[in-house]
Amino acid sequence: MIKKLDQIKWRLQNIEPDILFIAEADLANKDLSIFHVKGYNFHQTNTLKLRNKCRLVAWTKMDIVRLQHLENDLNEILVFQKHQHTIVGIYRHFKCYTGETIRSNFDRLMENLQEIAHCKKSVLITGDFNVDPQRDQDGYFGDKLESWKNDCDLDQLIQSDTRTRLVGGNLQSSRIDLVFTNITNVKTHSEFMSQSDHYLINIILNGLEKPKPHTRKGTVYLDWRKYSKEKMINRFNEYFRGIDIHQHDVNEINDIITTAICMALNDLVPKRMANLTGVNPVINAKIRNLRNKKSRLHKKWKNTGDLDDYQKLRKVSNALNYEVSLERKRSIMHGLDGDSKQYWRTINNIMGRNITEEIKIKDKGQEVTDATEIANLFSEFFKTKVEDLERNSQCEKFDVPDLSVWVTEDMFFKEVEITESIQCLKRSKAMGLDEIPGTVVKDLQNALVHPLCWLFNNIMTSGTVPKAWKISKVIPIHKKGPKDEVNNFRPVSNISSLSKVFERAIINKLRLKPDDELFGIHQHAFRKGSSTITAGLVFQDYLANELDQNKITLAYSADLTAAFDVLRPNLLVKNLLDLSINKALIRVIYNFLQERSAFVQIGEKTSYNWALPIGCVQGSVLGPVLFNIYMRELPKLIKAVEPESFTMAYADDSYIAISCDKLNVRNALVSLTNIFQTHKKWLDQLGMICNPTKTEFIVFGNPQHVPRLEITLDKTVIAAKKTMKVLGIMFDDQLSWKEQTSKILSKCSSVSYSLRLLNRVLPRKLHRQVIYAHFISHLTYGSQIWAKCITNKQVNKLSSCLNKTLRLHCFDFNKSMHNSELYALSKIRSFKSQILIQEAKSLYRIVTQCSSFELTQRLMAQSTFITRFPGRIIFINYGKKRVSRNSFINREKQINDAIPFDWLDLSPETFEVQLKRAIPLDIQ
């Protein structure tokens, strides 16, 4: 023991564990002062008093309490408590007391441990159990250990626990150092010790050594430790006894399926309460002491003005800064030492994104602390907002006709369709009222496909959706402005996972018709092959072509208030009938939107339920598709007023434009005003509310000497701006992209401090991932639209911004490395290479997946596929290069020429792989 003491003291002073157990200490009853370490208490087992010898000792920090009343004096056992956790260290020796056997010796220890595990909710037990399989021929000790573990509901963390070692000159194979616990998020790893035939077991308890920031007392979480796909399937089959073929009530069928899943979940994924308090992870006892010492020295120096006191103050201040920096790195590493979800949550918090904060709301100037009261405030706001919008709108009247009809064979669901819908379900999505996670539904796919097929087909036959699916759990999400005002939050609904599967199956039925017919060619949201990028490309191409002809383009963007929340189900039925959708499908969709209700949840507290007579659910799978159908007539309406107009939409964001000669700007302004008024009237008929104060108006190509123009709507004057934000991209009136590049540089600069903070903490591979996620994503967003149109000066600024970050990543603070060396060392592409990769991917998607868009049709009209080059596209009618206003066709030809391989017949995955291989890291 004395030989190991120096190693033990070094570990205590440098690693600073909360508790350090040492087994086989063989401590005799003598002077114990040599074992004392500053900042730690020294403990030995009670056997030292009985036999003048103990084999288990421990060092603990000062704030850890020993629970001697739980220790049997005949056992080598130490029991401590830290916050809500009970930590137990044991050593099982072979020497017995008078009158007992080895088995009774072992039984006494097991009874002691069982008593502790049953009386303490949060327990960790570790130590040397000395279970030898070779001696344990009948398996008594192994079975006893396994029975104790199962009875106490403990997990065994050290699985590879059998070692062969030399004992008394003989080889012995023993299960020696084991760890058992019922605490979640406990991590263990072994470290070889040359001074012992044992390994050092390092145990990290999440919330003990490094408490998580922003945790709240009374947090409820799901304990997934017992869960596995195989166990879940077995438990579900035990509880689910099938559905009677005579059972056709959809509510009862849904209850049978849901109950079986929930009962299995209660067994395998129980709810637990985490009584963790919010602790600053960068404050420890040492920092607190240094702060107090600094405060005392500062007061003393202020009173005396002594130079020696000032030097002491500087020394303590430097030590404090160093310790804070060190502890911050430790807390960051602790947050990163987990699964992928915890890792990215930590990164996002450091980068200033998605920081989980407790919602604090003010009502009439007073802060509300009760979660139930906060939930009711949100409920009242969301309910009142929709009621006021409904009351103030002048919606078109339409009576829903009788939708009773025989269900045709093609409207019934097949099991393969149910399987496809389950596979589309995302595992990470939040749970609805039934609290069934998506990952469980996906794991039960084979077991659920038949009962869900029976349920869905009964829904089609009856035209009735289960009532449980119509209740939405609303989570307030901060949108903008102060976080203590309810009107700065928007409602996002969490609905049942089974409802999501059904909605996906309904979408597949709707999409038997082409997307162009369902949504219109102008709509870019919620459809395959489209995105904000395709929408921006369409808008930019229209502007570039008009400006190239020396025309003026007037455009406005309409802002809708709570668009999804005010959709009228009866008018949606009218649109579906106009599309000649099967009436049985329309009846189900109409019933899905009827008699809905919602409640707000804050933590574990909920508000009252309120009715949702109108609207399609935000957060549902079906809602966005129904909204697109609801708004599909917009281009036809605009074309009726002005045949040469332009319309583009992304969900509820719509952009309308018309062009004219420079001499006819006033006439065009009148025409645009008429379009706006017609647009507003049509929205009123649909029950939509257009907010004129948030509507933007811009004139593209307007000469500097022409006065600023404006349009008027409902007595609201909307003046022309110099820029318009289109789906996150800043379009200026001359298409010079100065505002866009300034915005990118500002955003990228704002994350540089966080990248610097992580630079010395993260390994290079992980730091590179953060750069891609939080820096390059901003640098290249929408680059397919603007990158080929900016000046060389703007390109150099963006390239310099990227190079500065790469020098930080490569620790090249003296700028000694060439740019090409930076790209090679960091394995991150130059700005021009990044841009070319993004543009080439966009070209591939547009040509192969977006054939219905007008932009793609124009591209195809000016290109050809010839037999000599079957894998390439050849552009014709190649126009002149326009400074700062490159046309779409012109840019796509340059991109196509830069791709050095035939690509038209490649799969998306193969194309991306070959593209990254062919394009160099550094493009000059």
Side-chain angles (χ1 to χ4, degrees):
M1 180 68 187
I2 303 300
K3 295 180 180 180
K4 301 176 185 176
L5 192 57
D6 291 338
Q7 285 286 334
I8 292 170
K9 288 184 177 180
W10 179 91
R11 185 169 294 277
L12 291 172
Q13 293 169 355
N14 290 274
I15 299 180
E16 299 181 354
D18 287 283
I19 302 176
L20 176 63
F21 291 107
I22 300 293
E24 295 184 350
D26 293 332
L27 182 66
N29 195 358
K30 53 185 176 181
D31 183 15
L32 303 179
S33 61
I34 61 172
F35 302 108
H36 291 169
V37 178
K38 186 177 180 180
Y40 282 84
N41 291 325
F42 177 71
H43 306 270
Q44 65 278 345
T45 60
N46 296 327
T47 59
L48 187 64
K49 300 176 183 179
L50 297 177
R51 333 186 264 179
N52 297 325
K53 184 178 181 180
C54 76
R55 305 206 70 190
L56 178 71
V57 297
W59 284 265
T60 66
K61 286 188 175 180
M62 298 297 183
D63 58 340
I64 295 178
V65 181
R66 183 173 177 182
L67 307 177
Q68 292 197 34
H69 66 282
L70 294 177
E71 299 172 359
N72 188 319
D73 292 347
L74 301 178
N75 295 327
E76 297 282 356
I77 183 170
L78 293 169
V79 184
F80 301 101
Q81 184 167 350
K82 169 77 173 181
H83 300 315
Q84 76 274 21
H85 298 309
T86 302
I87 299 97
V88 183
I90 68 106
Y91 173 77
R92 184 237 166 177
H93 53 75
F94 295 103
K95 293 184 179 180
C96 304
Y97 292 97
T98 304
E100 74 175 359
T101 64
I102 293 179
R103 288 193 176 187
S104 62
N105 179 320
F106 185 78
D107 291 343
R108 185 184 67 243
L109 176 61
M110 289 293 102
E111 289 171 1
N112 195 176
L113 294 178
Q114 190 164 20
E115 177 188 358
I116 296 170
H118 282 165
C119 74
K120 294 295 182 181
K121 294 182 179 179
S122 178
V123 63
L124 182 143
I125 300 171
T126 181
D128 188 348
F129 284 75
N130 272 323
V131 177
D132 186 359
Q134 294 179 355
R135 293 184 181 181
D136 189 21
Q137 297 295 331
D138 57 357
Y140 177 84
F141 297 101
D143 292 342
K144 187 81 174 179
L145 193 66
E146 190 71 15
S147 175
W148 163 78
K149 180 186 76 171
N150 294 331
D151 183 53
C152 297
D153 195 21
L154 300 175
D155 288 339
Q156 181 180 340
L157 301 187
I158 303 292
Q159 299 296 332
S160 55
D161 48 23
T162 300
R163 290 190 59 241
T164 301
R165 56 184 180 146
L166 191 65
V167 179
N170 299 316
L171 285 176
Q172 177 178 307
S173 180
S174 299
R175 301 176 74 184
I176 51 176
D177 302 307
L178 304 180
V179 180
F180 300 90
T181 187
N182 60 9
I183 306 172
T184 58
N185 295 330
V186 178
K187 304 183 185 302
T188 64
H189 64 275
S190 301
E191 179 181 343
F192 178 73
M193 295 290 290
S194 60
Q195 298 85 5
S196 172
D197 62 341
H198 291 261
Y199 281 85
L200 178 68
I201 307 298
N202 296 284
I203 305 171
I204 299 174
L205 278 74
N206 192 17
L208 178 60
E209 289 192 345
K210 301 291 186 299
K212 279 188 179 180
H214 310 297
T215 54
R216 297 189 300 273
K217 189 173 183 179
T219 302
V220 175
Y221 68 97
L222 296 177
D223 185 356
W224 289 86
R225 290 178 299 162
K226 291 184 180 179
Y227 179 84
S228 70
K229 181 178 179 179
E230 293 73 19
K231 289 181 181 178
M232 189 65 203
I233 293 173
N234 293 335
R235 289 297 175 91
F236 175 77
N237 291 331
E238 289 177 14
Y239 291 119
F240 182 70
R241 300 299 182 182
I243 301 173
D244 187 350
I245 59 173
H246 301 293
Q247 179 61 266
H248 299 289
D249 186 283
V250 295
N251 292 299
E252 292 185 9
I253 297 173
N254 180 61
D255 288 344
I256 292 171
I257 299 172
T258 303
T259 301
I261 299 175
C262 289
M263 290 178 69
L265 275 173
N266 289 338
D267 292 345
L268 300 179
V269 191
K271 277 189 174 183
R272 298 192 187 276
M273 180 76 72
N275 294 318
L276 302 178
T277 57
V279 179
N280 189 334
V282 189
I283 301 297
N284 57 24
K286 191 171 183 179
I287 292 175
R288 196 175 293 110
N289 292 336
L290 284 171
R291 282 186 173 179
N292 294 336
K293 188 175 181 180
K294 178 183 176 182
S295 178
R296 291 194 301 270
L297 287 172
H298 186 266
K299 289 180 181 177
K300 184 179 179 182
W301 172 68
K302 279 289 186 180
N303 292 331
T304 64
D306 189 5
L307 184 61
D308 291 339
D309 291 337
Y310 177 74
Q311 294 297 337
K312 292 178 182 179
L313 176 62
R314 286 288 303 271
K315 186 176 180 180
V316 172
S317 180
N318 292 337
L320 175 61
N321 293 337
Y322 173 77
E323 194 62 35
V324 169
S325 175
L326 192 65
E327 191 62 27
R328 181 179 286 112
K329 291 178 182 179
R330 288 175 184 169
S331 67
I332 291 173
M333 287 305 298
H334 175 70
L336 300 175
D337 186 19
D339 56 18
S340 176
K341 189 174 183 179
Q342 179 184 345
Y343 168 82
W344 282 110
R345 186 188 297 118
T346 303
I347 292 295
N348 285 327
N349 285 343
I350 295 170
M351 305 300 293
R353 289 183 178 182
N354 303 326
I355 300 178
T356 304
E357 295 180 355
E358 186 175 356
I359 296 178
K360 297 179 181 179
I361 297 298
K362 288 184 179 179
D363 182 31
K364 299 177 181 179
Q366 299 295 322
E367 184 174 323
V368 181
T369 57
D370 182 67
T372 302
E373 190 175 349
I374 293 175
N376 287 329
L377 286 173
F378 276 113
S379 294
E380 187 64 27
F381 170 71
F382 295 144
K383 174 188 174 184
T384 305
K385 180 179 180 180
V386 175
E387 288 177 349
D388 291 343
L389 292 174
E390 183 181 16
R391 190 183 306 113
N392 296 329
S393 65
Q394 301 174 351
C395 188
E396 178 186 355
K397 303 297 182 182
F398 178 77
D399 296 326
V400 177
D402 183 16
L403 297 174
S404 300
V405 65
W406 287 103
V407 183
T408 57
E409 185 68 25
D410 61 324
M411 284 295 105
F412 283 114
F413 296 97
K414 300 179 177 60
E415 290 190 0
V416 64
E417 297 177 72
I418 308 300
T419 301
E420 291 175 358
S421 298
I422 293 176
Q423 289 173 348
C424 292
L425 191 64
K426 295 184 178 179
R427 292 181 180 271
S428 60
K429 288 297 183 181
M431 300 176 289
L433 182 63
D434 55 13
E435 296 189 340
I436 298 176
T439 187
V440 172
V441 177
K442 298 197 78 166
D443 288 346
L444 291 174
Q445 173 182 305
N446 295 332
L448 283 177
V449 64
H450 180 69
L452 287 183
C453 189
W454 180 260
L455 172 61
F456 292 179
N457 286 331
N458 275 282
I459 293 174
M460 291 300 301
T461 303
S462 64
T464 305
V465 176
K467 293 180 181 179
W469 293 0
K470 297 183 179 183
I471 304 175
S472 302
K473 179 173 68 176
V474 175
I475 306 298
I477 303 297
H478 181 254
K479 183 171 55 176
K480 59 182 179 180
K483 295 184 179 181
D484 57 357
E485 298 178 11
V486 292
N487 57 351
N488 290 326
F489 289 74
R490 62 184 176 90
V492 173
S493 300
N494 296 333
I495 58 178
S496 166
S497 296
L498 299 184
S499 176
K500 293 176 184 177
V501 177
F502 175 71
E503 292 172 48
R504 178 62 62 184
I506 290 293
I507 290 174
N508 293 336
K509 293 291 186 186
L510 283 172
R511 282 187 165 163
L512 294 175
K513 285 185 174 291
D515 281 359
D516 288 349
E517 189 175 347
L518 281 176
F519 308 146
I521 199 172
H522 71 294
Q523 181 61 256
H524 290 255
F526 315 120
R527 54 189 298 179
K528 183 178 179 180
S530 64
S531 64
T532 55
I533 303 303
T534 59
L537 280 172
V538 168
F539 192 44
Q540 194 270 352
D541 181 65
Y542 170 79
L543 294 174
N545 280 286
E546 297 301 318
L547 294 178
D548 188 54
Q549 300 174 33
N550 294 321
K551 290 186 176 181
I552 301 294
T553 301
L554 293 79
Y556 73 86
S557 62
D559 181 271
L560 304 184
T561 303
F564 280 67
D565 297 330
V566 296
L567 180 145
R568 302 305 199 273
N570 60 327
L571 297 182
L572 175 66
V573 169
K574 180 182 178 182
N575 280 0
L576 292 171
L577 290 171
D578 292 342
L579 287 168
S580 300
I581 302 294
N582 188 287
K583 285 189 177 182
L585 191 59
I586 297 177
R587 180 175 61 170
V588 171
I589 294 173
Y590 184 61
N591 186 268
F592 174 78
L593 297 175
Q594 291 291 301
E595 300 177 354
R596 298 195 69 92
S597 63
F599 66 91
V600 172
Q601 179 166 334
I602 304 294
E604 292 301 307
K605 304 296 183 179
T606 59
S607 70
Y608 64 85
N609 277 38
W610 79 92
L612 297 172
I614 60 175
C616 59
V617 186
Q618 288 195 55
S620 70
V621 179
L622 186 58
V625 175
L626 298 181
F627 183 82
N628 279 358
I629 295 174
Y630 195 68
M631 304 289 290
R632 62 182 293 273
E633 293 295 328
L634 177 61
K636 187 185 297 184
L637 172 81
I638 303 301
K639 290 288 185 183
V641 180
E642 179 59 54
E644 299 300 323
S645 62
F646 166 85
T647 305
M648 183 272 289
Y650 190 90
D652 58 334
D653 294 328
S654 54
Y655 302 88
I656 316 297
I658 59 172
S659 297
C660 65
D661 296 328
K662 294 182 179 180
L663 299 177
N664 296 321
V665 174
R666 293 296 175 184
N667 294 334
L669 189 63
V670 173
S671 299
L672 189 68
T673 303
N674 293 334
I675 291 174
F676 200 176
Q677 291 173 347
T678 304
H679 188 182
K680 172 70 167 53
K681 184 178 179 181
W682 177 74
L683 290 173
D684 290 340
Q685 293 175 350
L686 291 179
M688 295 288 166
I689 308 298
C690 181
N691 188 350
T693 59
K694 293 185 178 181
T695 298
E696 292 185 322
F697 169 53
I698 188 172
V699 180
F700 291 97
N702 192 25
Q704 298 297 324
H705 61 275
V706 176
R708 297 285 294 275
L709 303 176
E710 58 187 32
I711 58 176
T712 304
L713 180 65
D714 294 341
K715 299 181 181 180
T716 301
V717 178
I718 305 171
K721 295 183 177 180
K722 288 291 185 180
T723 60
M724 174 189 284
K725 191 173 184 179
V726 180
L727 304 174
I729 300 172
M730 302 301 296
F731 282 68
D732 60 81
D733 57 0
Q734 301 297 324
L735 285 190
S736 64
W737 307 105
K738 291 180 181 179
E739 292 294 329
Q740 174 65 11
T741 52
S742 298
K743 174 190 170 185
I744 293 171
L745 290 170
S746 175
K747 187 66 178 178
C748 290
S749 297
S750 67
V751 303
S752 60
Y753 172 76
S754 300
L755 291 174
R756 184 179 295 275
L757 179 64
L758 291 167
N759 194 41
R760 296 186 182 275
V761 178
L762 292 181
R764 294 304 84 193
K765 183 177 180 180
L766 296 183
H767 194 255
R768 183 163 56 248
Q769 289 180 358
V770 177
I771 290 175
Y772 271 108
H774 292 273
F775 183 87
I776 294 180
S777 60
H778 294 298
L779 188 69
T780 61
Y781 175 69
S783 58
Q784 302 92 322
I785 300 168
W786 51 264
K788 285 290 183 182
C789 307
I790 59 179
T791 63
N792 290 333
K793 184 177 180 180
Q794 292 169 317
V795 171
N796 292 335
K797 284 184 177 181
L798 296 172
S799 297
S800 297
C801 184
L802 174 61
N803 294 343
K804 183 179 178 181
T805 300
L806 296 188
R807 293 191 186 280
L808 173 70
H809 175 73
C810 297
F811 299 101
D812 183 30
F813 302 113
N814 296 326
K815 299 183 179 180
S816 59
M817 299 174 63
H818 191 269
N819 290 341
S820 58
E821 295 178 291
L822 282 177
Y823 307 136
L825 182 60
S826 65
K827 298 180 182 178
I828 297 178
R829 298 177 177 275
S830 67
F831 175 71
K832 290 185 178 180
S833 181
Q834 297 272 4
I835 296 305
L836 180 57
I837 292 285
Q838 295 292 338
E839 291 176 331
K841 289 180 182 178
S842 178
L843 175 62
Y844 175 86
R845 285 193 293 267
I846 289 172
V847 171
T848 59
Q849 300 176 12
C850 306
S851 59
S852 60
F853 289 139
E854 180 183 353
L855 183 65
T856 312
Q857 293 172 356
R858 193 183 311 141
L859 176 66
M860 294 296 100
Q862 300 187 57
S863 61
T864 183
F865 304 92
I866 58 177
T867 55
R868 282 195 306 162
F869 304 101
R872 297 192 69 84
I873 181 172
I874 306 300
F875 290 88
I876 58 176
N877 294 338
Y878 176 50
K880 64 179 181 178
K881 182 176 181 179
R882 294 180 281 273
V883 178
S884 298
R885 297 173 188 169
N886 282 343
S887 71
F888 176 73
I889 304 299
N890 184 32
R891 296 199 310 275
E892 298 310 301
K893 181 184 187 306
Q894 297 176 40
I895 298 165
N896 180 58
D897 293 343
I899 302 176
F901 56 88
D902 296 340
W903 53 271
L904 276 176
D905 300 326
L906 299 179
S907 66
E909 296 78 12
T910 305
F911 173 77
E912 187 167 346
V913 170
Q914 291 196 22
L915 184 66
K916 289 182 177 180
R917 289 176 181 173
I919 304 299
L921 289 174
D922 183 13
I923 297 179
Q924 300 299 330

